[in-house]
Amino acid sequence: MAPALLLALWAADPRLAEAERLRAQADQLARAGEYAKAIPLAEQALALRDAARGPKHPEVAESLNDLGSLYRETGDYTRALPLYGRALHIREAAFGEKHLAVAETLHDLGELDRLMGNYDQAEKEYQRALSIREAQLGPQNAQVAATLNNLGALYRQMGSYDRAGMLLLRALHIKEAILKPGDPSLATAYNSLAVLYVTIGSYAEAEPLLERTLAIREQALGPAHPSVATALNNLAQLYSDLGAYERAEPLFARSLAIREAALGREHPSVAGSLGNLVVLYRAQGQFERALPLAQRALAIDQKVHGASHPDVATDLNNLAELYVSLGQDQRAQPLLERTLAIDEATHPGAPHPDVAQSLENLANLYLLEGAHARAEPLVRRALAIREAVLGPGSRDVADCLVDLARARVLAGHGEDALPLLARALDIWERVARIVQNVATESRMAAFSRTLRAQQELLYSLAAERPHDRDAQRLALALALLGKGRALDVAADTSRAVRQGLDARDQAQFDRLRTVRGRLAGLALGGPGTLAPDRYSEQVRKLEAESEQIEKDLALRSAALGVQRALPPPAQVVARVAGALPDDAALIEVVAFRPYRFRARGVQAERWGALRYRAFALTPGEKVQAVDLGPAQVVDAAVRELLHGLTRPDADWRPAAQRLHRLIAAPFGTLVGDRKRWLLALDGQLHLVPFGALYDGRRFLIDQHEVTYLTSGRDLLRERSGDRRSHTVVVVADPQLDGALPALPGTRLEAEAIRKLLPGAQLLMGAAASEPALLALQAPGVLHVATHGWFLEDEAPPSAGTRGLHLQAEVGAPTRPSSLLLRSALVLSGARPGHAPRAASDRPDGMATALEVAGMNLWGTQLVVLSACDTGRGDVRLGQGLYGLQRALVVAGAQTLVTSLWKIDDEATRTLMEQFYRNLLGGADRAEAMRKAALALRTRRPHPYYWAPFQVLGRTGPLGGAPGAAIPPLPVTH
């Protein structure tokens, strides 16, 4: 208030001036989020005005409204309600029912009733406030926008998403037209709309709004304001829904800490934060950690709201779900029944998502107990609600379909489950494509994990019904579309940058490469002279910057529509079958936990141990499947085989025969005498050299040509957009530090290749550098012969190999957080124990997979990594290997040749020379390697020498052009 007016008030009645001063102070504290400190000042102001003006004066109503809002913010709803009621009565009597002061109280009272769960009452109050404000102020006003925003938030809670969206968008457009970009009121509009988008699964639209909300509030209100806590909480909820739990948890924790400090430990907002952490921890399997938080949240909400509030229902549900996870169904059932009763009383007669969730959770408990007759009507009712409210394509609808399929299996009608799971697969695929359009590789992998348990139910049903062709076809469709999805995200973004985006995006991608290089230097060099805290801070900063650039590029590439167009689930099997060569068979392997549909009781072991299952597809769309047995048994056989193959003096035969019996023989029963096997593997089977499997008389390589794929859908990759290059670059014999062993065979290998391909460019010695390799622009053939390493090495390699023992020779202190920093090629200038290059772009001679992924190999027909361990990596179920092989696919290479162990220098030189001779003779890329291996086997019979290399990717001979480094060769189409 102006000083002159204060003086006038003081002259008239000192109490009024003091009340105005106290009210101003309370308002300032409230804006800072310090509601508890503001309350006593507001109470004093009210008392002074009441004494000076009398109990029915409009100024008293103003103070009543102020104090009611402070109590509301602190969660003391029972004290707030009569204050608002009294303020409304005074204002209506003093000004009439259509005054702006009346609208203010109605707006605030509507917010209180919304928080208390009195939705019908809140709607009436908001509607009255909106009508008054629009009539008095016009449609383009901040107060009108505020009521539109709150009414939209109410409709979201009521499940009326279409109405909510229209009002929230209208509120945002008004605020954007009349407010400055950094106004906190604008952030409120962003936040409300974003929460709606998260609720309906529109994650791409939600995330930028939530990020903008957080930035505005932190800048305008400071980092410890309760509104900042709300923004953190909502952004964390988005990450949690996408399965990015490691990103969500610190945001939830920070939000909780702010709320506890600003609002007190028993505020309902604190209970909300606790509940979100409970859901997060339960999703991660941390049940004991979640339990006390769930109990605390319930105690807070029951104290604040009483026993029948919607928030109490949420707390009861969270606690019951934990009890179910802990096998305590007797404790869970009454809580779930009480939850359903509260939700039905809160939303009588109208379909609401909360009611559907309660129905589904109770039905799920009945299913676990084997009571399918009790469960099925609840699931069907939940499904009807969700379809009515959310539409038929919602993720929540898919959840209901899965539960209904479980009920039908329990009822002995497994055939009824199949169309339900087919519908669920359509929904999963639709949602996955939405996420894929905006996700980074890591986010897509995290999201895929959120669907894994439900999708394993489909694999389990197919395993239970081995003679049901429709079941096998549907499960294969799931595998074809779902495996390796994160790799597609990275490759699509890379292709967009290299082939479709503008100079700004290219510059951003170059920045990404720089950041990744610095991150690699820090990760491999260790802290050096940096203090541990400083080192960790720099790593986190670079990781965050890399993630942000990746996300921006993904959004840009999605906007241009450059993602690979995949067929729908009902068509994908036919499309892949149509892309198969006539003499080939696709064998798609999945690792999954079988679900025991008929296990009774919550405490029953519902998920079996991991198993492998193979699906075979041949031209003509014939689909067959076979169980390969427990992963524990198969993986042990893989380890035994690799132990025998990776040591030239070891006996490999028993292990090779055992794995042939476990894996290759079942494959053979599926595909018969087809010569060409296209293998899309999973789990530890990625590490198997199938050509070295032995039936006691012959190796598999004697009968079959094997090509590896990341997924059978690789056969659908568009070829028309790839520029075909015809140059050849050989990088070999780098100039190494004296502590690293020389590789004379690599120089001979490079010279032999140039004799065969006279136009080849050789980069050797000092020229075989990290910058030179990473700067290459899509050569037709890239051959790299040097040392390679993979971080899981436990013992130094044998002399004469192209491998390094990382701990001993490279000096990396720990396993880096990024999976693509655990594999690398060694180039000129590499030195052990190098210092971190935190503020430098100087090359360190180590081309990590993370850096290789940023190369431009779109148009490169063949990449050969003639080095140790280049085909190894960290195995992620359903997502493949994370290592150099993956990086080269992301970079755009059509076909890769990589190694599974530490290769012999001299034998590899001989193998590679013969490989290129075969290519020049017009052989298919996989057949060229097969023939080279067979030739080497006549001189070096142990598979250690001839079997380490895999051919992954596109088949067919290399294509050449007149006058090019690659001579004209037959080309398959």
Side-chain angles (χ1 to χ4, degrees):
M1 182 171 287
L5 186 54
L6 268 176
L7 288 173
L9 284 173
W10 184 265
D13 189 332
R15 293 175 297 179
L16 296 177
E18 178 64 7
E20 189 62 33
R21 186 185 67 80
L22 290 168
R23 183 173 178 270
Q25 288 181 358
D27 183 64
Q28 186 175 10
L29 288 168
R31 289 176 184 276
E34 299 185 50
Y35 307 117
K37 292 181 180 179
I39 284 176
L41 302 181
E43 288 174 333
Q44 292 177 51
L46 172 60
L48 289 169
R49 281 181 165 178
D50 201 353
R53 295 294 198 186
K56 296 183 179 181
H57 195 277
E59 289 182 14
V60 172
E62 183 180 50
S63 287
L64 287 165
N65 211 86
D66 291 345
L67 187 56
S69 295
L70 289 172
Y71 283 138
R72 187 191 72 208
E73 294 294 343
T74 59
D76 197 345
Y77 302 150
T78 56
R79 297 182 72 176
L81 186 59
L83 297 177
Y84 281 138
R86 187 179 160 199
L88 181 62
H89 179 74
I90 294 171
R91 285 177 160 175
E92 285 181 328
F95 303 126
E97 294 187 350
K98 296 184 178 181
H99 194 274
L100 287 174
V102 173
E104 179 188 31
T105 302
L106 287 167
H107 173 94
D108 292 341
L109 188 55
E111 181 65 6
L112 178 64
D113 276 319
R114 183 182 72 84
L115 293 170
M116 294 176 69
N118 303 324
Y119 297 148
D120 290 341
Q121 185 63 27
E123 182 182 13
K124 295 173 184 176
E125 289 155 352
Y126 280 139
Q127 291 282 16
R128 273 193 66 195
L130 179 62
S131 176
I132 294 169
R133 285 178 164 177
E134 286 183 319
Q136 298 293 329
L137 301 170
Q140 294 293 107
N141 181 270
Q143 292 183 36
V144 171
T147 304
L148 287 167
N149 184 87
N150 287 14
L151 183 56
L154 173 68
Y155 285 145
R156 176 188 61 80
Q157 288 183 276
M158 295 173 70
S160 298
Y161 299 137
D162 289 341
R163 286 199 295 176
M166 289 188 292
L167 295 182
L168 293 173
L169 282 169
R170 184 180 161 201
L172 176 59
H173 292 156
I174 293 171
K175 290 187 175 184
E176 285 182 326
I178 64 177
L179 298 175
K180 294 181 179 179
D183 193 297
S185 181
L186 187 57
T188 299
Y190 290 143
N191 178 76
S192 298
L193 187 57
V195 171
L196 173 65
Y197 286 149
V198 172
T199 303
I200 63 177
S202 297
Y203 305 117
E205 290 83 359
E207 186 171 9
L209 295 176
L210 290 171
E211 290 175 335
R212 212 174 304 167
T213 298
L214 179 59
I216 291 173
R217 287 179 172 175
E218 285 186 319
Q219 177 67 30
L221 305 174
H225 195 279
S227 293
V228 171
T230 300
L232 289 165
N233 179 83
N234 294 341
L235 185 57
Q237 188 63 59
L238 168 71
Y239 292 146
S240 183
D241 283 359
L242 292 173
Y245 303 132
E246 72 288 346
R247 299 197 69 182
E249 184 175 358
L251 300 185
F252 276 141
R254 185 180 159 201
S255 175
L256 174 61
I258 293 172
R259 285 172 167 175
E260 287 182 324
L263 304 173
R265 289 178 56 82
E266 295 192 346
H267 192 277
S269 293
V270 170
S273 287
L274 291 168
N276 288 332
L277 281 170
V278 168
V279 174
L280 179 72
Y281 291 148
R282 180 173 175 268
Q284 296 175 301
Q286 301 182 51
F287 308 132
E288 298 294 345
R289 188 178 183 187
L291 189 58
L293 303 185
Q295 292 167 334
R296 184 182 159 203
L298 177 60
I300 292 171
D301 279 332
Q302 286 189 139
K303 180 179 179 180
V304 172
H305 300 304
S308 301
H309 191 274
D311 289 351
V312 172
T314 299
D315 299 329
L316 290 167
N317 177 77
N318 290 343
L319 186 57
E321 290 289 277
L322 278 176
Y323 287 146
V324 170
S325 299
L326 292 166
Q328 302 175 24
D329 56 324
Q330 292 182 338
R331 302 184 72 178
Q333 183 167 333
L335 300 184
L336 290 173
E337 290 170 345
R338 187 178 157 199
T339 298
L340 178 57
I342 294 172
D343 286 335
E344 288 181 322
T346 303
H347 310 287
H352 193 277
D354 288 351
V355 176
Q357 187 66 58
S358 297
L359 288 164
E360 186 181 12
N361 290 344
L362 186 57
N364 183 61
L365 179 64
Y366 293 152
L367 287 173
L368 294 176
E369 294 173 341
H372 62 85
R374 298 182 70 186
E376 187 165 335
L378 301 185
V379 176
R380 290 190 181 278
R381 186 178 158 206
L383 177 61
I385 292 173
R386 285 180 165 166
E387 288 179 324
V389 174
L390 301 170
S394 164
R395 218 170 135 185
D396 290 337
V397 169
D399 292 345
C400 284
L401 291 167
V402 169
D403 285 340
L404 188 54
R406 290 167 56 204
R408 298 310 296 153
V409 172
L410 278 175
H413 298 287
E415 69 282 0
D416 295 343
L418 200 60
L420 298 171
L421 292 176
R423 274 193 65 195
L425 176 56
D426 283 336
I427 294 171
W428 294 331
E429 183 61 19
R430 184 193 66 83
V431 176
R433 293 183 190 192
I434 291 172
V435 174
Q436 183 171 338
N437 280 342
V438 297
T440 61
E441 180 180 9
S442 62
R443 290 197 191 180
M444 192 68 226
F447 176 76
S448 296
R449 287 193 294 272
T450 69
L451 298 177
R452 185 169 179 85
Q454 289 182 315
Q455 293 177 341
E456 284 177 322
L457 286 167
L458 199 162
Y459 291 136
S460 301
L461 182 65
E464 277 209 354
R465 303 175 64 82
H467 303 298
D468 187 333
R469 295 182 179 180
D470 291 338
Q472 309 314 314
R473 188 182 182 92
L474 185 63
L476 175 58
L478 171 59
L480 289 172
L481 290 168
K483 283 177 60 184
R485 201 62 174 267
L487 179 59
D488 281 359
V489 169
D492 287 340
T493 301
S494 169
R495 184 176 184 179
V497 170
R498 297 304 187 184
Q499 297 184 352
L501 301 187
D502 57 24
R504 181 193 66 179
D505 299 303
Q506 184 62 57
Q508 198 173 19
F509 195 78
D510 291 340
R511 175 60 186 165
L512 177 62
R513 295 181 68 185
T514 299
V515 170
R516 285 175 169 176
R518 292 179 175 179
L519 182 59
L522 278 175
L524 298 181
T529 59
L530 293 173
D533 289 348
R534 176 65 175 159
Y535 173 74
S536 297
E537 178 188 349
Q538 289 197 13
V539 170
R540 284 195 301 270
K541 182 178 179 181
L542 289 170
E543 288 176 338
E545 185 175 0
S546 175
E547 174 77 9
Q548 184 61 48
I549 297 173
E550 286 183 67
K551 187 180 72 175
D552 292 344
L553 288 171
L555 287 168
R556 283 282 294 143
S557 63
L560 293 179
V562 299
Q563 278 78 10
R564 205 182 329 170
L566 292 174
Q571 298 177 17
V572 67
V573 173
R575 289 279 299 278
V576 172
L580 284 169
D582 291 338
D583 62 344
L586 168 68
I587 301 174
E588 189 90 34
V589 178
V590 296
F592 74 104
R593 298 170 303 157
Y595 182 78
R596 298 189 176 105
F597 289 96
R598 295 167 188 82
R600 298 296 180 92
V602 173
Q603 297 187 39
E605 284 294 332
R606 201 145 299 270
W607 295 98
L610 198 71
R611 300 183 74 86
Y612 288 110
R613 186 169 182 79
F615 299 91
L617 177 65
T618 51
E621 300 182 39
K622 184 178 181 180
V623 179
Q624 298 182 85
V626 65
D627 178 66
L628 300 177
Q632 183 178 8
V633 174
V634 174
D635 292 349
V638 172
R639 289 191 296 271
E640 183 184 355
L641 175 68
L642 292 176
H643 180 79
L645 294 184
T646 57
R647 292 163 177 79
D649 57 348
D651 184 4
W652 49 268
R653 287 176 179 80
Q657 286 184 254
R658 183 183 182 206
L659 200 57
H660 187 284
R661 184 173 63 255
L662 289 171
I663 303 298
F667 287 0
T669 62
L670 293 179
V671 302
D673 58 358
R674 291 185 181 274
K675 178 184 177 183
R676 300 173 67 182
W677 287 10
L678 306 180
L679 301 182
L681 303 169
D682 203 355
Q684 297 300 314
L685 294 180
H686 283 293
L687 305 177
V688 175
F690 273 79
L693 300 187
Y694 188 64
D695 66 4
R697 296 180 300 109
R698 293 179 298 180
F699 289 99
L700 191 142
I701 195 174
D702 295 322
Q703 303 167 271
H704 300 286
E705 173 193 317
V706 176
T707 303
Y708 299 87
L709 305 172
T710 55
S711 164
R713 73 175 176 279
D714 288 353
L715 297 171
L716 304 179
R717 187 179 290 273
E718 291 291 336
R719 301 185 181 193
S720 59
D722 291 348
R723 175 182 60 84
R724 179 174 290 167
S725 175
H726 307 291
T727 58
V728 177
V729 177
V730 181
V731 181
D733 192 23
Q735 182 176 301
L736 301 174
D737 185 280
L740 300 176
L743 294 172
T746 66
R747 178 173 286 272
L748 296 174
E749 186 175 309
E751 292 171 346
I753 293 172
R754 185 158 62 177
K755 286 181 182 178
L756 294 169
L757 298 168
Q761 176 188 3
L762 301 191
L763 300 177
M764 298 195 294
S769 66
E770 178 190 357
L773 174 69
L774 298 180
L776 291 173
Q777 295 297 309
V781 173
L782 172 60
H783 186 100
V784 183
T786 183
H787 287 296
W789 54 256
F790 173 61
L791 194 52
E792 284 188 345
D793 294 337
E794 297 178 355
S798 304
T801 69
R802 299 182 185 180
L804 294 177
H805 179 232
L806 189 60
Q807 295 293 344
E809 298 185 44
V810 179
T814 57
R815 287 169 61 85
S817 58
S818 171
L819 299 178
L820 294 184
L821 289 173
R822 299 174 187 175
S823 304
L825 298 168
V826 178
L827 297 162
S828 295
R831 55 206 181 279
H834 58 282
R837 48 187 170 126
S840 170
D841 295 332
R842 290 186 300 105
D844 55 14
M846 300 287 182
T848 65
L850 186 66
E851 294 165 291
V852 169
M855 293 179 68
N856 180 13
L857 299 178
W858 292 97
T860 298
Q861 299 180 56
L862 174 67
V863 175
V864 179
L865 297 187
S866 184
C868 295
D869 297 323
T870 54
R872 294 181 63 200
D874 285 274
V875 175
R876 292 294 181 267
L877 294 180
Q879 295 300 328
L881 284 175
Y882 282 76
L884 285 163
Q885 188 183 88
R886 187 182 193 88
L888 289 164
V889 173
V890 170
Q894 295 175 8
T895 307
L896 314 177
V897 175
T898 57
S899 63
L900 290 172
W901 54 76
K902 291 177 174 53
I903 56 177
D904 180 81
D905 187 32
E906 190 278 330
T908 299
R909 177 180 63 82
T910 303
L911 180 76
M912 288 300 169
E913 183 176 350
Q914 187 59 50
F915 171 62
Y916 281 97
R917 288 185 185 277
N918 296 336
L919 287 174
L920 288 170
D924 174 276
R925 295 169 225 194
E927 182 65 8
M929 179 55 69
R930 174 177 175 269
K931 288 180 177 179
L934 289 172
L936 181 59
R937 195 178 78 190
T938 62
R939 286 179 283 170
R940 296 288 189 95
H942 196 292
Y944 165 77
Y945 297 102
W946 57 263
F949 286 96
Q950 292 180 311
V951 178
L952 181 143
R954 189 172 299 178
T955 59
L958 291 181
I966 306 174
L969 296 173
V971 180
T972 58
H973 296 282

